Coordinates of all heavy atoms in Angstrom, one line a residue:
M192 N 101.3 84.1 108.0 CA 101.4 85.0 106.8 C 102.3 84.3 105.8 O 103.0 83.4 106.1 CB 101.9 86.3 107.3 CG 100.9 87.1 108.0 SD 101.1 88.9 108.2 CE 102.7 89.3 107.7
S193 N 102.1 84.8 104.6 CA 102.9 84.2 103.5 C 104.4 84.4 103.7 O 104.9 85.4 104.1 CB 102.5 85.0 102.2 OG 103.3 84.5 101.1
D194 N 105.1 83.4 103.2 CA 106.6 83.4 103.3 C 107.1 84.0 102.0 O 108.3 84.2 101.9 CB 107.2 82.0 103.5 CG 106.9 81.5 104.9 OD1 106.7 82.3 105.8 OD2 106.9 80.3 105.1
E195 N 106.3 84.3 101.0 CA 106.7 84.9 99.8 C 107.1 86.3 99.9 O 106.6 87.0 100.7 CB 105.6 84.7 98.7 CG 105.3 83.2 98.4 CD 104.2 83.1 97.3 OE1 104.1 83.9 96.4 OE2 103.5 82.1 97.5
T196 N 108.0 86.8 99.1 CA 108.5 88.2 99.1 C 107.5 89.1 98.4 O 106.8 88.6 97.5 CB 109.9 88.3 98.5 OG1 109.8 87.9 97.1 CG2 110.9 87.6 99.2
L197 N 107.4 90.3 98.8 CA 106.6 91.3 98.1 C 107.5 92.2 97.4 O 108.5 92.6 97.8 CB 105.8 92.1 99.2 CG 104.8 91.2 100.1 CD1 104.2 92.1 101.1 CD2 103.8 90.5 99.3
Q198 N 107.0 92.6 96.2 CA 107.7 93.6 95.4 C 107.0 94.9 95.5 O 105.9 95.1 94.9 CB 107.8 93.1 93.9 CG 108.4 91.8 93.7 CD 109.9 91.8 94.0 OE1 110.6 92.8 93.7 NE2 110.4 90.7 94.5
L199 N 107.6 95.9 96.2 CA 107.1 97.2 96.3 C 107.8 98.1 95.5 O 109.0 98.2 95.5 CB 107.1 97.6 97.8 CG 106.6 98.9 98.3 CD1 105.0 98.9 98.1 CD2 106.8 99.2 99.7
S200 N 107.1 99.0 94.8 CA 107.7 99.9 93.9 C 107.0 101.2 93.9 O 105.7 101.2 94.2 CB 107.9 99.4 92.4 OG 106.5 99.3 91.9
G201 N 107.6 102.3 93.5 CA 106.9 103.6 93.4 C 105.7 103.5 92.4 O 104.7 104.1 92.7
E202 N 105.9 102.8 91.3 CA 104.9 102.6 90.3 C 103.7 101.9 90.9 O 102.5 102.4 90.7 CB 105.4 101.8 89.1 CG 104.3 101.6 88.0 CD 104.9 100.8 86.8 OE1 106.0 100.3 86.8 OE2 104.0 100.5 85.9
L203 N 103.9 100.9 91.6 CA 102.7 100.1 92.3 C 102.0 101.0 93.3 O 100.8 101.1 93.2 CB 103.3 98.9 93.1 CG 102.2 98.1 93.8 CD1 101.1 97.6 92.9 CD2 102.9 97.0 94.6
I204 N 102.7 101.8 94.1 CA 102.1 102.7 95.0 C 101.3 103.8 94.3 O 100.2 104.0 94.7 CB 103.2 103.3 95.9 CG1 103.8 102.2 96.8 CG2 102.6 104.5 96.8 CD1 105.0 102.7 97.5
Q205 N 101.8 104.3 93.2 CA 101.1 105.3 92.5 C 99.8 104.7 91.9 O 98.8 105.4 91.8 CB 101.9 105.9 91.3 CG 103.1 106.8 91.9 CD 104.0 107.3 90.8 OE1 104.0 106.8 89.7 NE2 104.7 108.5 91.1
K206 N 99.9 103.5 91.3 CA 98.7 102.9 90.8 C 97.6 102.7 91.8 O 96.5 102.9 91.5 CB 99.1 101.5 90.1 CG 99.8 101.8 88.7 CD 100.2 100.4 88.1 CE 100.8 100.6 86.7 NZ 101.1 99.3 86.1
V207 N 98.0 102.1 92.9 CA 97.1 101.9 94.0 C 96.4 103.2 94.5 O 95.2 103.3 94.6 CB 97.7 101.1 95.2 CG1 96.8 101.1 96.4 CG2 98.1 99.7 94.8
Q208 N 97.3 104.2 94.7 CA 96.7 105.5 95.1 C 95.8 106.1 94.0 O 94.8 106.7 94.3 CB 97.8 106.5 95.5 CG 97.3 107.7 96.2 CD 98.4 108.6 96.8 OE1 99.6 108.3 96.7 NE2 98.0 109.6 97.4
G209 N 96.2 105.8 92.7 CA 95.3 106.3 91.7 C 94.0 105.6 91.6 O 92.9 106.3 91.4
V210 N 93.9 104.4 91.9 CA 92.6 103.6 91.9 C 91.8 104.2 93.1 O 90.6 104.4 93.0 CB 92.8 102.1 92.1 CG1 91.6 101.4 92.5 CG2 93.5 101.6 90.9
L211 N 92.4 104.4 94.2 CA 91.7 104.9 95.4 C 91.2 106.4 95.0 O 90.0 106.7 95.4 CB 92.6 105.1 96.6 CG 93.0 103.7 97.2 CD1 94.0 103.9 98.3 CD2 91.8 102.9 97.8
A212 N 92.0 107.2 94.3 CA 91.6 108.5 94.0 C 90.5 108.5 93.0 O 89.6 109.5 92.9 CB 92.8 109.3 93.6
E213 N 90.3 107.5 92.1 CA 89.3 107.4 91.2 C 88.0 107.3 92.0 O 86.9 107.8 91.6 CB 89.4 106.2 90.3 CG 90.5 106.5 89.2 CD 90.6 105.2 88.3 OE1 89.6 104.4 88.2 OE2 91.7 105.0 87.8
A214 N 88.0 106.5 93.1 CA 86.8 106.3 93.9 C 86.5 107.5 94.8 O 85.3 107.8 95.1 CB 87.0 105.0 94.7
D215 N 87.6 108.1 95.3 CA 87.4 109.3 96.1 C 88.6 110.2 95.9 O 89.8 109.9 96.3 CB 87.4 108.8 97.6 CG 87.2 109.9 98.6 OD1 87.3 111.1 98.2 OD2 86.9 109.6 99.7
P216 N 88.4 111.3 95.2 CA 89.5 112.3 94.9 C 90.3 112.7 96.1 O 91.5 113.0 95.9 CB 88.8 113.4 94.2 CG 87.5 112.9 93.7 CD 87.1 111.8 94.6
R217 N 89.7 112.7 97.3 CA 90.4 113.0 98.5 C 91.7 112.1 98.7 O 92.6 112.4 99.4 CB 89.6 113.0 99.7 CG 88.5 114.1 99.7 CD 87.5 113.9 100.9 NE 87.0 112.6 100.9 CZ 86.4 112.0 101.9 NH1 86.3 112.7 103.1 NH2 85.9 110.8 101.9
A218 N 91.6 110.9 98.1 CA 92.7 109.9 98.4 C 93.9 110.3 97.6 O 95.0 109.6 97.7 CB 92.2 108.5 97.9
Q219 N 93.9 111.4 96.8 CA 95.2 111.9 96.3 C 96.1 112.4 97.4 O 97.3 112.4 97.3 CB 94.9 113.1 95.4 CG 94.2 112.6 94.1 CD 93.8 113.8 93.2 OE1 94.0 114.9 93.5 NE2 93.2 113.4 92.0
Q220 N 95.5 112.8 98.6 CA 96.2 113.1 99.8 C 96.7 111.8 100.4 O 95.9 110.9 100.7 CB 95.4 113.9 100.7 CG 94.8 115.2 100.2 CD 93.8 115.8 101.2 OE1 93.9 115.5 102.4 NE2 92.9 116.6 100.6
P221 N 98.0 111.7 100.7 CA 98.5 110.4 101.2 C 97.8 109.9 102.5 O 97.6 108.7 102.7 CB 100.0 110.7 101.5 CG 100.4 111.8 100.5 CD 99.1 112.6 100.4
L222 N 97.5 110.9 103.4 CA 96.9 110.4 104.7 C 95.5 109.8 104.4 O 95.1 108.8 105.1 CB 96.8 111.6 105.7 CG 96.3 111.2 107.1 CD1 97.1 110.1 107.7 CD2 96.3 112.4 108.0
V223 N 94.7 110.3 103.5 CA 93.4 109.7 103.2 C 93.6 108.4 102.5 O 92.9 107.4 102.8 CB 92.6 110.6 102.3 CG1 91.3 110.0 101.8 CG2 92.3 112.0 102.9
A224 N 94.6 108.3 101.6 CA 94.9 107.0 101.0 C 95.3 105.9 102.0 O 94.8 104.8 102.0 CB 96.0 107.1 99.9
V225 N 96.1 106.3 103.0 CA 96.5 105.4 104.0 C 95.3 104.9 104.9 O 95.2 103.8 105.2 CB 97.6 106.1 104.9 CG1 97.8 105.2 106.2 CG2 98.9 106.2 104.2
Q226 N 94.3 105.8 105.1 CA 93.1 105.4 105.9 C 92.4 104.4 105.0 O 91.9 103.5 105.6 CB 92.3 106.7 106.2 CG 92.9 107.6 107.2 CD 92.2 108.9 107.4 OE1 90.9 109.0 107.1 NE2 92.9 110.0 107.8
Y227 N 92.3 104.6 103.8 CA 91.5 103.6 103.0 C 92.2 102.3 103.0 O 91.6 101.2 103.2 CB 91.4 104.1 101.5 CG 90.1 104.9 101.2 CD1 90.2 106.2 101.0 CD2 88.9 104.3 101.1 CE1 89.1 107.0 100.7 CE2 87.8 105.0 100.9 CZ 87.8 106.3 100.7 OH 86.7 107.0 100.4
L228 N 93.6 102.3 102.9 CA 94.3 101.1 102.9 C 94.1 100.3 104.3 O 94.0 99.1 104.3 CB 95.8 101.3 102.6 CG 96.1 101.8 101.2 CD1 97.5 102.2 101.1 CD2 95.7 100.7 100.2
S229 N 94.1 101.1 105.4 CA 93.9 100.5 106.6 C 92.5 99.9 106.8 O 92.3 98.8 107.3 CB 94.1 101.6 107.8 OG 95.4 101.9 107.8
A230 N 91.5 100.6 106.3 CA 90.2 100.1 106.3 C 90.0 98.8 105.5 O 89.4 97.9 105.9 CB 89.2 101.2 105.8
I231 N 90.7 98.8 104.3 CA 90.6 97.7 103.5 C 91.3 96.5 104.2 O 90.8 95.4 104.1 CB 91.2 98.0 102.1 CG1 90.4 99.0 101.3 CG2 91.5 96.7 101.3 CD1 91.0 99.6 100.1
T232 N 92.4 96.7 104.7 CA 93.1 95.7 105.5 C 92.2 95.0 106.6 O 92.1 93.8 106.7 CB 94.4 96.2 106.2 OG1 95.3 96.7 105.1 CG2 95.1 95.1 107.0
G233 N 91.5 95.9 107.4 CA 90.7 95.4 108.4 C 89.5 94.7 107.8 O 89.1 93.6 108.4
F234 N 88.9 95.2 106.7 CA 87.8 94.5 106.1 C 88.2 93.1 105.6 O 87.5 92.1 105.8 CB 87.2 95.3 105.0 CG 86.1 94.8 104.3 CD1 84.8 95.0 104.7 CD2 86.2 94.0 103.1 CE1 83.7 94.4 104.1 CE2 85.2 93.4 102.5 CZ 83.9 93.7 103.0
L235 N 89.3 93.1 104.9 CA 89.7 91.8 104.3 C 90.0 90.8 105.4 O 89.7 89.5 105.2 CB 90.9 92.0 103.3 CG 90.5 92.7 102.0 CD1 91.9 92.9 101.2 CD2 89.6 91.9 101.2
L236 N 90.7 91.2 106.4 CA 91.1 90.3 107.5 C 89.8 89.8 108.2 O 89.7 88.6 108.5 CB 92.0 91.0 108.6 CG 93.5 91.1 108.2 CD1 94.2 91.9 109.2 CD2 94.1 89.7 108.2
A237 N 88.8 90.6 108.4 CA 87.5 90.2 109.0 C 86.8 89.2 108.2 O 86.1 88.4 108.7 CB 86.7 91.4 109.2
Q238 N 87.1 89.1 106.8 CA 86.4 88.2 105.9 C 87.1 86.9 105.8 O 86.5 85.9 105.3 CB 86.3 88.8 104.5 CG 85.5 90.1 104.4 CD 84.1 90.0 105.0 OE1 83.4 89.1 104.6 NE2 83.7 90.9 105.8
M239 N 88.3 86.7 106.4 CA 89.0 85.5 106.3 C 88.4 84.4 107.1 O 87.8 84.7 108.2 CB 90.5 85.7 106.7 CG 91.2 86.6 105.7 SD 92.9 87.1 106.2 CE 93.7 85.5 106.5
P240 N 88.6 83.1 106.7 CA 87.9 82.0 107.4 C 88.6 81.6 108.7 O 88.0 80.8 109.5 CB 87.9 80.9 106.4 CG 89.1 81.2 105.6 CD 89.2 82.6 105.5
E241 N 89.8 82.1 109.0 CA 90.6 81.7 110.2 C 89.8 82.2 111.4 O 89.0 83.0 111.3 CB 92.0 82.2 110.1 CG 92.9 81.6 109.1 CD 92.7 82.1 107.7 OE1 92.0 83.0 107.4 OE2 93.5 81.6 106.9
S242 N 90.3 81.6 112.5 CA 89.6 82.1 113.8 C 89.9 83.5 114.1 O 90.8 84.1 113.5 CB 90.2 81.2 114.9 OG 91.6 81.5 115.3
V243 N 89.1 84.1 115.0 CA 89.3 85.4 115.3 C 90.7 85.6 115.9 O 91.4 86.7 115.6 CB 88.2 85.9 116.4 CG1 88.5 87.3 116.9 CG2 86.8 85.9 115.7
D244 N 91.1 84.8 116.8 CA 92.5 84.9 117.3 C 93.5 84.9 116.3 O 94.5 85.7 116.3 CB 92.7 83.8 118.4 CG 91.9 84.0 119.7 OD1 91.5 85.1 119.9 OD2 91.8 83.0 120.4
E245 N 93.4 84.0 115.3 CA 94.4 84.0 114.2 C 94.4 85.3 113.4 O 95.5 85.8 113.1 CB 94.2 82.8 113.2 CG 94.6 81.5 113.8 CD 94.2 80.3 112.8 OE1 93.0 80.1 112.7 OE2 95.1 79.8 112.2
R246 N 93.2 85.8 113.1 CA 93.1 87.0 112.3 C 93.6 88.2 113.1 O 94.3 89.1 112.5 CB 91.6 87.2 111.9 CG 91.2 86.2 110.8 CD 89.8 86.5 110.4 NE 88.9 85.9 111.4 CZ 87.7 86.2 111.7 NH1 87.2 87.3 111.1 NH2 87.0 85.7 112.6
K247 N 93.4 88.2 114.4 CA 94.0 89.3 115.2 C 95.5 89.2 115.3 O 96.2 90.3 115.3 CB 93.3 89.3 116.7 CG 91.9 89.8 116.6 CD 91.4 90.2 118.0 CE 90.1 90.8 117.9 NZ 89.9 91.8 118.8
D248 N 96.0 88.0 115.3 CA 97.5 87.8 115.2 C 98.0 88.3 113.9 O 99.0 89.0 113.9 CB 97.8 86.3 115.5 CG 99.3 86.1 115.5 OD1 100.0 86.9 116.3 OD2 99.9 85.3 114.8
Y249 N 97.3 88.0 112.8 CA 97.7 88.6 111.5 C 97.7 90.1 111.6 O 98.6 90.8 111.0 CB 96.8 88.1 110.4 CG 96.8 86.7 110.1 CD1 95.7 86.0 109.4 CD2 98.0 85.9 110.2 CE1 95.7 84.7 109.1 CE2 98.0 84.6 109.9 CZ 96.9 84.0 109.3 OH 96.9 82.7 109.0
L250 N 96.7 90.7 112.2 CA 96.7 92.1 112.3 C 97.9 92.7 113.1 O 98.5 93.7 112.6 CB 95.3 92.5 113.0 CG 95.0 94.0 113.0 CD1 94.9 94.6 111.6 CD2 93.7 94.2 113.8
K251 N 98.2 92.1 114.1 CA 99.5 92.5 114.9 C 100.7 92.3 114.0 O 101.5 93.2 114.0 CB 99.6 91.7 116.1 CG 98.5 92.0 117.2 CD 98.7 91.1 118.4 CE 97.6 91.4 119.4 NZ 97.6 90.4 120.5
Q252 N 100.8 91.2 113.3 CA 102.0 91.0 112.4 C 102.0 92.1 111.3 O 103.1 92.6 111.0 CB 101.9 89.7 111.8 CG 102.2 88.5 112.8 CD 102.2 87.2 112.1 OE1 102.7 87.0 111.0 NE2 101.5 86.2 112.7
L253 N 100.9 92.4 110.7 CA 100.8 93.4 109.7 C 101.2 94.8 110.2 O 101.9 95.6 109.6 CB 99.5 93.4 109.1 CG 99.1 92.3 108.1 CD1 97.7 92.2 107.8 CD2 100.0 92.4 106.9
A254 N 100.8 95.1 111.4 CA 101.2 96.4 112.1 C 102.7 96.5 112.2 O 103.3 97.5 112.0 CB 100.5 96.6 113.4
A255 N 103.3 95.4 112.7 CA 104.7 95.3 112.9 C 105.4 95.4 111.5 O 106.5 96.1 111.3 CB 105.2 94.0 113.6
F256 N 104.9 94.8 110.5 CA 105.4 94.8 109.1 C 105.4 96.2 108.6 O 106.3 96.7 108.0 CB 104.7 93.8 108.2 CG 105.1 93.8 106.8 CD1 106.5 93.6 106.5 CD2 104.2 94.0 105.8 CE1 106.8 93.5 105.2 CE2 104.6 93.9 104.5 CZ 105.9 93.7 104.1
T257 N 104.2 96.8 108.8 CA 104.0 98.3 108.3 C 105.1 99.1 109.0 O 105.8 100.0 108.3 CB 102.7 98.8 108.7 OG1 101.7 98.0 108.1 CG2 102.5 100.2 108.3
E258 N 105.3 99.0 110.3 CA 106.4 99.8 111.0 C 107.8 99.5 110.4 O 108.5 100.4 110.3 CB 106.3 99.5 112.5 CG 107.3 100.4 113.3 CD 107.1 100.3 114.8 OE1 106.3 99.6 115.2 OE2 107.8 101.1 115.4
S259 N 108.0 98.2 110.1 CA 109.3 97.8 109.6 C 109.6 98.5 108.2 O 110.6 99.0 107.9 CB 109.4 96.3 109.4 OG 110.6 95.9 108.8
V260 N 108.5 98.4 107.4 CA 108.7 99.1 106.0 C 108.9 100.6 106.2 O 109.8 101.3 105.6 CB 107.5 98.9 105.1 CG1 107.5 99.7 103.9 CG2 107.3 97.4 104.8
F261 N 108.1 101.3 107.1 CA 108.3 102.7 107.4 C 109.8 103.0 107.9 O 110.4 103.9 107.4 CB 107.3 103.1 108.6 CG 107.5 104.5 109.0 CD1 106.7 105.5 108.4 CD2 108.3 104.8 110.1 CE1 106.8 106.8 108.8 CE2 108.4 106.2 110.5 CZ 107.7 107.1 109.8
D262 N 110.3 102.2 108.8 CA 111.6 102.4 109.3 C 112.7 102.2 108.2 O 113.6 103.0 108.1 CB 111.9 101.4 110.5 CG 111.2 101.8 111.7 OD1 110.6 102.8 111.9 OD2 111.0 100.8 112.6
D263 N 112.4 101.2 107.3 CA 113.4 101.0 106.2 C 113.4 102.2 105.3 O 114.5 102.7 104.9 CB 113.0 99.8 105.4 CG 113.3 98.5 106.0 OD1 114.1 98.5 107.1 OD2 112.9 97.4 105.5
V264 N 112.2 102.7 104.9 CA 112.1 103.9 104.0 C 112.7 105.2 104.7 O 113.4 106.0 104.1 CB 110.6 104.2 103.6 CG1 110.5 105.4 102.8 CG2 110.2 103.0 102.7
E265 N 112.4 105.4 106.0 CA 112.9 106.5 106.7 C 114.5 106.4 106.7 O 115.2 107.4 106.6 CB 112.4 106.6 108.1 CG 111.1 107.2 108.2 CD 111.1 108.7 107.8 OE1 111.9 109.5 108.2 OE2 110.2 108.9 106.9
G266 N 115.0 105.2 107.0 CA 116.5 105.0 107.0 C 117.1 105.4 105.6 O 118.2 106.0 105.6
Q267 N 116.4 105.0 104.5 CA 116.9 105.3 103.2 C 116.9 106.8 103.0 O 117.8 107.4 102.4 CB 116.1 104.6 102.1 CG 116.2 103.1 102.1 CD 115.2 102.5 101.1 OE1 114.6 103.2 100.3 NE2 115.1 101.2 101.2
K268 N 115.9 107.5 103.4 CA 115.7 108.9 103.3 C 116.8 109.6 104.0 O 117.4 110.7 103.5 CB 114.4 109.4 103.8 CG 113.3 109.1 102.8 CD 111.9 109.5 103.3 CE 111.7 110.5 104.4 NZ 110.3 110.7 104.8
Q269 N 117.2 109.2 105.2 CA 118.2 109.8 106.0 C 119.6 109.6 105.4 O 120.5 110.4 105.6 CB 118.2 109.3 107.4 CG 116.9 109.8 108.2 CD 116.8 109.2 109.6 OE1 117.7 108.6 110.1 NE2 115.6 109.5 110.2
Q270 N 119.8 108.5 104.7 CA 121.1 108.2 104.0 C 121.3 109.1 102.8 O 122.4 109.4 102.5 CB 121.2 106.7 103.6 CG 121.3 105.8 104.8 CD 121.3 104.3 104.3 OE1 121.3 104.0 103.2 NE2 121.3 103.4 105.3
Q271 N 120.2 109.5 102.2 CA 120.3 110.3 101.0 C 119.3 111.5 101.1 O 118.3 111.5 100.4 CB 120.0 109.5 99.7 CG 120.8 108.3 99.5 CD 120.4 107.4 98.4 OE1 119.3 107.5 97.9 NE2 121.2 106.4 98.1
P272 N 119.5 112.4 101.9 CA 118.5 113.5 102.2 C 118.3 114.4 101.0 O 117.3 115.0 100.9 CB 119.1 114.3 103.4 CG 120.6 114.0 103.4 CD 120.7 112.6 102.8
A273 N 119.3 114.5 100.1 CA 119.1 115.4 98.9 C 118.3 114.8 97.8 O 117.7 115.6 97.0 CB 120.5 115.9 98.4
A274 N 118.2 113.5 97.7 CA 117.6 112.8 96.6 C 116.2 112.5 97.0 O 115.9 112.0 98.1 CB 118.4 111.6 96.2
P275 N 115.1 112.7 96.1 CA 113.8 112.2 96.4 C 113.8 110.7 96.4 O 114.5 110.0 95.6 CB 113.0 112.8 95.2 CG 114.0 113.1 94.1 CD 115.3 113.4 94.8
Q276 N 113.0 110.2 97.3 CA 112.9 108.8 97.5 C 111.7 108.2 96.7 O 110.6 108.7 96.7 CB 112.7 108.4 98.9 CG 113.9 108.5 99.7 CD 114.9 107.4 99.3 OE1 114.6 106.2 99.4 NE2 116.1 107.8 98.8
E277 N 111.9 107.1 96.0 CA 110.9 106.3 95.4 C 110.9 105.0 96.1 O 112.0 104.4 96.3 CB 111.2 106.2 93.9 CG 110.1 105.3 93.2 CD 110.3 105.2 91.7 OE1 110.3 106.2 91.1 OE2 110.5 104.1 91.3
A278 N 109.8 104.4 96.5 CA 109.8 103.2 97.2 C 110.2 102.1 96.2 O 109.8 102.0 95.1 CB 108.4 102.9 97.7
S279 N 111.1 101.2 96.6 CA 111.5 100.1 95.8 C 112.2 99.1 96.7 O 112.6 99.5 97.8 CB 112.5 100.5 94.6 OG 113.7 101.1 95.3
G280 N 112.3 97.9 96.3 CA 113.0 97.0 97.0 C 112.1 95.7 97.3 O 111.0 95.6 96.9
V281 N 112.6 94.9 98.2 CA 111.9 93.7 98.5 C 111.8 93.6 100.1 O 112.9 93.8 100.7 CB 112.6 92.4 98.0 CG1 111.9 91.1 98.4 CG2 112.6 92.5 96.5
W282 N 110.7 93.4 100.6 CA 110.5 93.2 102.1 C 109.9 91.9 102.2 O 109.1 91.4 101.6 CB 109.6 94.3 102.6 CG 110.2 95.6 102.7 CD1 111.0 96.1 103.7 CD2 110.1 96.7 101.8 NE1 111.4 97.3 103.5 CE2 110.8 97.7 102.3 CE3 109.4 96.9 100.6 CZ2 110.9 99.0 101.7 CZ3 109.4 98.1 100.0 CH2 110.3 99.1 100.5
R283 N 110.4 91.2 103.3 CA 109.9 89.9 103.6 C 109.2 90.0 105.0 O 109.8 90.5 105.9 CB 111.0 88.9 103.7 CG 111.9 88.6 102.5 CD 113.0 87.6 102.8 NE 114.0 87.6 101.9 CZ 114.0 87.3 100.5 NH1 112.9 87.0 100.0 NH2 115.1 87.3 99.8
P284 N 107.9 89.6 105.1 CA 107.3 89.7 106.3 C 107.9 88.8 107.3 O 108.2 87.6 107.0 CB 105.8 89.3 106.0 CG 105.9 88.7 104.6 CD 107.2 89.1 104.0
G285 N 108.0 89.2 108.5 CA 108.6 88.3 109.6 C 107.5 87.6 110.3 O 106.3 87.9 110.3
D286 N 107.9 86.5 111.0 CA 107.0 85.8 111.8 C 107.2 86.3 113.2 O 108.0 85.8 114.0 CB 107.3 84.3 111.7 CG 107.0 83.7 110.4 OD1 106.2 84.3 109.7 OD2 107.7 82.7 110.1
D287 N 106.4 87.2 113.6 CA 106.5 87.8 115.0 C 105.7 87.0 115.9 O 104.7 86.5 115.7 CB 106.0 89.3 115.0 CG 106.9 90.2 114.2 OD1 108.0 89.7 113.8 OD2 106.5 91.3 113.9

């Protein structure tokens, strides 16, 4: 996977969810938007020219990365329970 950092922000998340909701208004619900993002991830990985084993390894790495981001955001929420959270910061994908 790429060694470059990703810039995740509340604005980016809102824009992506907005694009999904334009295609399917149900995507305004976070769980529906997440399902679309998962489907898109699987679709794009399946289209890559690498071997099936490499693509499945990417899928595993992305699942671990997703969990890492989830844990980071949950940790931030627990540190500041009174303030609403907006996603922000820089995450670096690990080489699992």
Side-chain angles (χ1 to χ4, degrees):
M192 288 194 350
S193 174
D194 291 333
E195 296 180 30
T196 60
L197 302 175
Q198 300 292 325
L199 184 63
S200 69
E202 180 183 359
L203 175 62
I204 292 168
Q205 288 176 340
K206 285 181 178 181
V207 169
Q208 192 170 2
V210 168
L211 293 172
E213 285 179 26
D215 182 347
R217 297 175 302 161
Q219 292 175 358
Q220 300 171 25
L222 187 56
V223 175
V225 168
Q226 290 174 24
Y227 270 109
L228 294 172
S229 293
I231 291 167
T232 298
F234 181 87
L235 290 175
L236 280 171
Q238 301 301 314
M239 293 172 59
E241 288 82 1
S242 71
V243 171
D244 288 340
E245 285 178 288
R246 289 179 283 150
K247 286 196 176 217
D248 186 52
Y249 291 154
L250 189 59
K251 289 177 187 174
Q252 289 180 42
L253 288 167
F256 179 55
T257 300
E258 186 172 2
S259 174
V260 172
F261 177 89
D262 290 343
D263 285 349
V264 173
E265 278 298 309
Q267 290 175 12
K268 284 174 23 181
Q269 291 177 11
Q270 289 176 5
Q271 301 173 351
Q276 282 293 302
E277 179 177 301
S279 62
V281 177
W282 285 278
R283 298 181 202 293
D286 293 334
D287 293 347

